[in-house]
Amino acid sequence: MRRTVFNEDHEAFRETIRDFIEAEVVPVYDEWFAAGQAPRDFYYKLGELGIFGISVPEEFGGAGMDTHKFEAVLYEETARAGVQFGGSGVHVLLALPYLKMLATDEQKKRYLPKFATGEEMWAIAMTEPGTGSDLAGMKTTAKLSEDGTHYVLNGAKTFITGGVHADKVIVCARTAAPTAEDRRHGISLFAVDTTSEGYSVGRKLDKLGLKTSDTAELAFVDVKVPVEDLLGEENKGFSYLGHNLASERWGIAFGAYAQAKAAVRFAKQYVQERTVFGKPVAHFQNTKFELAACQAEVDAAEAVADRATEALDAGELTPAEAASAKLFCTEVAHRVIDRCLQLHGGYGYMNEYPIARLYADNRVNRIYGGTSEIMKSIIAKDMGL
């Protein structure tokens, strides 16, 4: 079945990215894996390649393309090679939509040119210790100073992807107390400079997977944030967060599908080369049946991921549809990657094999961006249940 989601421009971009990965990432990836993060200067290379500026408006140094299909190609190509681009995914997939949607013209002039070049890397800080998916329960506060020139930020965040290398962080904080009628009232978004006094990066968290993606704890003690760095309107942050959840969940869904596809590729290659009892593992009927079943699931996930991509680009991807795509693709990836690792036998458990790293990397897909259980709740509510 021929895919129609990509055109010639996307395929040319794919060739460029594949060559870049082979030349700039694969030779040093083991070093990144051991260090627990990609080096900061790697992001400058991504900026030079134009990856960060694809969706940035032309007047601010970008290509001005209003599409997620180039991001989709990135998901497929990094998964195919068994690598990641550090914490840079948050920079484009999560932070940029807020800047494009909420930043004033003056803010865009300050933020976007350096965003596109990688001179300033962005992250977003929502989750707090003890709150998890309950964003309405956040305790971080931002109080307006008496002279009205700045906010004073106090609190802590955790699980912040890209938090170690970030130069700017979109921080969610309370500017007003919740009301009895609405726990979500009073949240605002701020663009916080990580060099600000009182801003500190705590532990770089030791994760099960996504080893090259720096994830950190952040703390704010009387951090002064100029009023010029408030994003959007005060107290409307929760509605802004909800607006961009569809694109975030699409990214997780598409990334999971790409990982499943890569897992089948890795397993197929391995069983054709590995000999057991004098025969290639691929010769055995069980191997053929397992890989055939995995391929069928990947085909289904690809169709769901492609459909969601088209809907997102058209501005028609609903929260329930995004939740459905995330739930389906992440569950498929979980099953497929597990079965492909099994076909590797004991070697599948060794980190030197990409399937082992993929197994660990994939697990978080059913947690972040909203757990599978939350996705089911969203879908059920849309069904009228």
Side-chain angles (χ1 to χ4, degrees):
M1 192 182 304
R2 187 174 66 87
R3 296 177 80 184
T4 58
V5 69
F6 298 124
N7 62 28
E8 292 181 359
D9 290 338
H10 303 127
E11 295 305 331
F13 178 70
R14 185 188 303 279
E15 291 183 17
T16 298
I17 292 301
R18 191 172 294 185
D19 291 343
F20 175 80
I21 289 172
E22 287 299 317
E24 300 288 345
V25 182
V26 172
V28 294
Y29 195 72
D30 286 345
E31 297 174 18
W32 297 4
F33 190 85
Q37 62 186 33
R40 178 63 178 83
D41 62 4
F42 173 67
Y43 298 141
Y44 291 112
K45 294 181 180 179
L46 294 180
E48 291 172 4
L49 196 61
I51 288 176
F52 294 152
I54 291 172
S55 297
V56 171
E58 292 184 54
E59 61 265 36
F60 304 115
M65 297 184 183
D66 190 18
T67 177
H68 289 78
K69 292 181 180 179
F70 292 98
E71 293 170 47
V73 171
L74 279 172
Y75 283 124
E76 290 188 333
E77 289 305 307
T78 51
R80 179 185 182 276
V83 302
Q84 295 172 338
F85 282 178
S88 64
V90 167
H91 183 69
V92 175
L93 181 65
L94 299 190
L96 184 57
Y98 289 102
L99 299 182
K100 291 173 66 176
M101 177 177 70
L102 302 175
T104 64
D105 288 341
E106 184 276 331
Q107 288 174 325
K108 288 177 181 177
K109 290 177 183 177
R110 285 193 286 126
Y111 301 151
L112 293 182
K114 291 183 179 180
F115 180 102
T117 61
E119 291 177 73
E120 287 186 349
M121 293 300 296
W122 288 69
I124 184 164
M126 303 184 202
T127 306
E128 297 183 1
T131 63
S133 297
D134 182 19
L135 295 179
M138 70 175 61
K139 300 292 192 297
T140 296
T141 60
K143 297 182 179 179
L144 188 64
S145 62
E146 291 185 3
D147 61 8
T149 62
H150 63 274
Y151 292 85
V152 180
L153 183 67
N154 283 282
K157 299 290 182 178
T158 192
F159 305 146
I160 309 308
T161 301
V164 174
H165 284 317
D167 302 291
K168 298 276 190 181
V169 178
I170 298 174
V171 177
C172 310
R174 284 206 165 277
T175 44
T179 65
E181 296 78 21
D182 187 3
R183 293 177 63 241
R184 300 172 293 184
H185 172 75
I187 295 173
S188 301
L189 306 185
F190 300 90
V192 180
D193 191 321
T194 62
T195 63
S196 301
E197 184 177 354
Y199 180 104
S200 62
V201 178
R203 291 186 303 150
K204 184 177 68 145
L205 300 174
D206 184 16
K207 306 185 299 296
L208 171 68
L210 302 177
K211 289 292 189 179
T212 65
S213 174
D214 56 296
T215 303
E217 296 174 330
L218 306 179
F220 320 110
V221 179
D222 294 334
V223 177
K224 293 182 179 179
V225 182
V227 293
E228 292 83 6
D229 287 325
L230 170 70
L231 289 172
E233 296 183 41
E234 201 177 75
N235 300 328
K236 292 189 176 182
F238 199 92
S239 64
Y240 299 146
L241 296 175
H243 183 83
N244 286 322
L245 278 175
S247 62
E248 178 183 355
R249 288 167 179 165
W250 164 82
I252 297 170
F254 203 98
Y257 141 70
Q259 289 176 322
K261 182 177 181 179
V264 173
R265 176 175 177 268
F266 296 144
K268 179 182 175 182
Q269 181 179 7
Y270 179 82
V271 298
Q272 289 176 327
E273 296 173 353
R274 173 71 168 157
T275 300
V276 176
F277 305 122
K279 298 178 181 179
V281 176
H283 176 81
F284 297 97
Q285 186 181 63
N286 179 68
T287 303
K288 297 176 182 178
F289 281 6
E290 284 292 286
L291 282 178
C294 287
Q295 183 61 54
E297 290 217 74
V298 168
D299 287 344
E302 180 179 87
V304 170
D306 285 356
R307 186 181 69 175
T309 303
E310 297 285 17
L312 182 64
D313 271 12
E316 299 172 353
L317 186 65
T318 68
E321 289 169 344
S324 178
K326 179 182 184 296
L327 177 66
F328 183 77
C329 291
T330 58
E331 293 292 340
V332 164
H334 160 63
R335 292 191 298 269
V336 167
I337 294 170
D338 183 76
R339 293 165 83 173
C340 288
L341 187 149
Q342 187 73 16
L343 289 173
H344 281 72
Y347 289 103
Y349 205 65
M350 302 296 112
N351 274 328
E352 65 186 274
Y353 282 81
I355 192 67
R357 299 179 183 184
L358 197 57
Y359 183 86
D361 292 348
N362 172 261
R363 184 59 185 89
V364 76
N365 288 334
R366 291 180 288 148
I367 298 174
Y368 66 4
T371 64
S372 291
E373 291 71 28
I374 288 178
M375 297 304 101
K376 292 174 184 177
S377 296
I378 294 170
I379 297 165
K381 183 178 180 180
D382 186 68
M383 294 170 66
L385 300 175

